[in-house]
Amino acid sequence: MFAKVKGTTLNGIFPEIIDVEVGLLSGLPTFQIVGLPDKAIQEAKERINLALKNLNIKPPSKINKRIVVNLAPADLKKEGPILDLPIALGFILASGQTKIIASEFLFLGELGLDGSLKKVRGALPIVLKAKDLGFKKVVLPTENLAEVVFIKDVEIYSFNHLKEVIKFLEGEMVKKPENDQDFNFEEKNFDLDFIVIDDYLLRGIILGVLGRHNFLLFGPPGTGKTLIAQNIVSLFPNLSYEESLEVSSIYSSLGLLEKELIYRPPFRSPHHSASSVAILGGGKDVKPGEVTLSHRGVLFFDELPEFRRDVLEGIREPLETGEITIARSKKSIKYPAKFLFIGAYNPCPCGFYGDSEIECQCSLSEINKYQKRISGPLFDRIDIHLNIPRLKGEKIFNMEKRDFKKIREKILEIREKILFRYQDEFFKNNSEIPPNKIKEYCHLDFEAEDFLKKAVDKFRLSLRGIHKALKLARTISDLEGKETIDLVSLGEALQYRIPSYD
């Protein structure tokens, strides 16, 4: 006797469709699962035995047969309890205890000992994959319904218990597809009135948000670097539907997604003591790290020089390509990692080098050693360097109040124009313009071109540095409403690229 049911597993954050093949043979009674199952799948035998017994269905332990469950493809590592439901259904079908028709369905769900269906990781990307592969129907736990209820063109059915699934498949229970909602959200009001910021710093931040340009904030302690970075994401527009699905799928695969889709750009701020595996990804199961969790959002490194050297050098790849490849001896996976990077740090160990009020206690060698913890290649990938000096008490209390609501509206307005410009391109931000498109989208007037030639020699700009300056100048021109990059825009872009601690 033989039965085949469609299940699924996760390879990192990417779903893989699995054929759950169940066969019964004559011989000593055994229950064997083959096809590279992990410990959680091996333990499914005990969960299935008790769950079926509680439903008055003959469990594998009461069948005087040799039971073999094959998870195909056999060379792919399977992990997690997500295959409990298809294995249980495959067994009762193969043992002749039901005549359900399951060929059109994809099943996912963890079984409780009483037969209840428990929430699983990765329901959202799995349903999206099922839709792309042409599956007509998906069965999953009720707790996972909220994250997939917006997906169309595939019928989704949710259940609380295994007995409900069996009754539904046997035709004893009538149930309509439950994915009938539209994607919508409530616009949040962002209160940023508590932030004290001067014109120079505000302009640099607006440019970073507008063009998705990475930037560094440096200055003495207590000047508001961390406060500013933590609230920058509030100036971002909401994620589009496609971006929301992309980000939510990552969080769903890791079990971090709450009931609804994520529609605001994520903000991640790992501590400087975090390991390279936690930030970049990897480990035994090649899991994604913080750089992937910050996809389409902001990754903030506070106290930047305190991070491990391998971490700082490791983020160079995602800063350049928008993705990170994690290679191990048995597996290599490429994860998305397209984020706005913000770093904040003090100019020296004591933090007061260049401060006009407090004398620096560090020696010159200590200052140089501290600053050199951030390598030149990493610096070269940063578009904007912002020096945040200490503000006088009088200036803090008398500074003009910013209307961040209007600032955000202006950013959204210009962002729409930028998106329209790149509507036929694979990239959507000025910072992502590839080298072969620089001349097309970053056109210089005569004076600006002549100035750039001189600046390259004077500041010893690398080819990457030239491209980044041009892309930042493109954003400055967009902010000013200019089609062509002129001398003023280019000069400002180069000014942001040259760090100064004075």
Side-chain angles (χ1 to χ4, degrees), residues 18-183:
I18 303 298
D19 287 331
V20 179
E21 302 171 335
V22 183
L24 274 63
L25 304 170
S26 299
L28 291 174
T30 58
F31 188 2
Q32 188 178 11
I33 301 177
V34 298
L36 291 183
D38 70 348
K39 186 69 173 175
I41 297 177
Q42 290 288 5
E43 292 172 347
K45 293 182 285 189
E46 307 304 326
R47 293 192 292 271
I48 290 170
N49 262 314
L50 280 170
L52 295 182
K53 185 177 180 181
N54 287 326
L55 292 178
N56 296 320
I57 298 173
K58 262 190 180 181
S61 59
K62 297 296 183 180
I63 299 289
N64 193 25
K65 295 282 186 179
R66 181 186 173 197
I67 304 166
V68 179
V69 177
N70 179 45
L71 307 177
D75 61 345
L76 178 68
K77 179 79 173 177
K78 290 86 178 177
E79 56 185 43
I82 195 170
L83 287 168
D84 285 7
L85 178 58
I87 292 175
L89 293 173
F91 165 73
I92 62 175
L93 189 57
S95 60
Q97 300 183 73
T98 185
K99 293 183 179 180
I100 61 176
I101 299 174
S103 57
E104 290 186 337
F105 289 86
L106 177 69
F107 299 95
L108 55 145
E110 175 186 347
L111 283 179
L113 297 183
D114 60 349
S116 60
L117 289 180
K118 300 181 181 296
K119 185 177 181 179
V120 294
R121 294 186 295 112
L124 176 58
I126 288 168
V127 172
L128 291 173
K129 180 72 175 278
K131 173 185 171 182
D132 292 340
L133 293 178
F135 280 88
K136 303 297 182 184
K137 303 171 183 178
V138 177
V139 170
L140 44 68
T142 300
E143 288 184 87
N144 287 111
L145 180 62
E147 63 186 275
V148 298
V149 74
F150 308 101
I151 301 174
K152 307 300 181 185
D153 302 323
V154 60
E155 297 178 9
I156 299 174
Y157 303 90
S158 70
F159 299 92
N160 290 307
H161 205 279
L162 175 59
K163 65 181 178 183
E164 296 176 354
V165 178
I166 296 172
K167 287 183 178 179
F168 170 71
L169 295 174
E170 290 178 338
E172 294 183 21
M173 176 191 291
V174 178
K175 194 177 181 74
K176 293 182 178 180
E178 298 172 86
N179 49 321
D180 56 354
Q181 294 186 21
D182 294 324
F183 178 75

Side-chain angles (χ1 to χ4, degrees), residues 42 47 80 83 161 200 230 237 293 370 411 439 496-497:
Q42 290 288 5
R47 293 192 292 271
L83 287 168
H161 205 279
Y200 157 75
Q230 290 173 339
L293 288 171
Y370 186 79
I411 290 174
K439 286 187 177 180
Y496 285 123
R497 280 199 58 80

Side-chain angles (χ1 to χ4, degrees), residues 205-222:
I205 289 170
I206 290 174
L207 291 172
V209 173
L210 190 58
R212 298 296 191 271
H213 298 286
N214 304 313
F215 58 90
L216 295 181
L217 306 171
F218 58 92

Side-chain angles (χ1 to χ4, degrees), residues 410 414 417 474-484:
K410 183 177 181 180
I414 301 175
K417 295 178 181 178
R474 174 69 273 165
T475 302
I476 295 171
S477 297
D478 288 335
L479 183 60
E480 299 296 332
K482 303 173 185 175
E483 290 297 324
T484 301

